[in-house]
C-alpha cells in the first residue's frame, strides 16, 4: 500500500499509524502553507495536560505561499523552549534517556525552511522506531491519487477526527487520564522499542 501525507513537525500518532502500515510513503511537497496545522506544531503531554509546541514561521505578504518556501523565524529561541518542554514533560518517562542523544541535535542545529526541518525530524524518528519504509516526494500537487491512499487530511490540527487508539501508559495519566493521538514523541518516550509494534497494531481509515 502506498500513502500520501504532508511532512509535519514530529508527526501525530495517527500519521505514524498510517506510515507503519504502508509499504511506500509519498510526501506531498507542492502544497500551500496553511495556518493552524501540524506543519509547524505538535502536541505533547505536559504536567498540566495537552501542550502545544509551535514553530514560529515567517509569513509572506502574499496570499498564498508554498510550504517549501516558508522560513522558520529563528530570531525566537523556540528550539531551546521546545527542548525544555520535552525535558519537563518526559524526563521521568521510561525511555527518554534512551533517545535523548539522537533527538537533541535537532534542537541545536539551525534550519532555514520548515519543510526541510520536518523531513529531518521524520528521518530521526524513523531511526528511533527502527522503521524501514520507502519514501518519495511529489513534484507537482497531487489531485488524482489513483492507487495511493490519501492521508493528507491528517495535517489539519483543528479539524481532527477522534481516533480510537489503544491506551498506553503516559507519565501524567494519573492526573489527566489518557490523551490520544499526541506527537509520536509521546509514544516513543513511553513505549520505547515497543512503539513500532503498537503502531502496526492500530488502524486508521483514509477519508
Amino acid at each position: 500500500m502506498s500513502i500520501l501525507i504532508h511532512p509535519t513537525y514530529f508527526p501525530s500518532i495517527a500519521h505514524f499509524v498510517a506510515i507503519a502500515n504502508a509499504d511506500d510513503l509519498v510526501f506531498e511537497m507542492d502544497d500551500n502553507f496553511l495556518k493552524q496545522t501540524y506543519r509547524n506544531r505538535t502536541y505533547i503531554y505536559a504536567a498540566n495536560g495537552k501542550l502545544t509546541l509551535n514553530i514560529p514561521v515567517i509569513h509572506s505578504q502574499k496570499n498564498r505561499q508554498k510550504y517549501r518556501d516558508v522560513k522558520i523565524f529563528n530570531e525566537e529561541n523556540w528550539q531551546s523552549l521546545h527542548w525544555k518542554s520535552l525535558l519537563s514533560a518526559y524526563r521521568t518517562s521510561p525511555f527518554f534517556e534512551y533517545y535523548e542523544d539522537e533527538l537533541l541535535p535537532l534542537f541545536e542545529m539551525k534550519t532555514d525552511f520548515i519543510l526541510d526541518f520536518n523531513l529531518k525530524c521524520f528521518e530521526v524518528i524513523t531511526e528511533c522506531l527502527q522503521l524501514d519504509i520507502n519514501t518519495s516526494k511529489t513534484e507537482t500537487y497531487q489531485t488524482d491519487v489513483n492507487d495511493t491512499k490519501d492521508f493528507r487530511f491528517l495535517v489539519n490540527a483543528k479539524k481532527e477526527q477522534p481516533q480510537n487508539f489503544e491506551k498506553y501508559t503516559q507519565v501524567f495519566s494519573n492526573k489527566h487520564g489518557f490523551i490520544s493521538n499526541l506527537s509520536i514523541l509521546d509514544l516513543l518516550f513511553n513505549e520505547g522499542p515497543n512503539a513500532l509494534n503498537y503502531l502496526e497494531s492500530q488502524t486508521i481509515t483514509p477519508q
Side-chain angles (χ1 to χ4, degrees), residues 32-33 60-66:
N32 291 323
F33 185 86
S60 76
Q61 299 306 308
K62 295 181 286 185
N63 287 335
R64 291 187 178 180
Q65 189 176 15
K66 290 287 188 185

Side-chain angles (χ1 to χ4, degrees), residues 54 56 73-79 81 110:
N54 201 69
F73 185 61
N74 281 316
E75 300 303 309
E76 282 187 29
N77 198 14
W78 65 272
Q79 285 168 293
L81 291 173
K110 287 286 182 273

Side-chain angles (χ1 to χ4, degrees), residues 4 26-31 66 68 137-145 152:
L4 178 65
V26 183
F27 282 123
E28 175 62 76
M29 302 290 285
D30 199 47
D31 57 312
K66 290 287 188 185
R68 62 170 176 258
K137 299 173 182 177
T138 64
E139 294 182 2
T140 57
Y141 186 77
Q142 301 299 294
T143 52
D144 184 7
V145 297
R152 287 178 293 185

Side-chain angles (χ1 to χ4, degrees), residues 168-187:
Y168 56 89
T169 302
Q170 295 171 314
V171 176
F172 299 109
S173 56
N174 61 331
K175 282 187 175 183
H176 308 287
F178 178 73
I179 302 178
S180 183
N181 199 30
L182 295 171
S183 167
I184 186 64
L185 292 173
D186 186 78
L187 180 67

Side-chain angles (χ1 to χ4, degrees), residues 34-46:
L34 299 173
K35 295 178 182 178
Q36 297 190 329
T37 70
Y38 284 114
R39 289 175 181 86
N40 66 319
R41 72 170 58 179
T42 196
Y43 294 108
I44 64 170
Y45 200 155

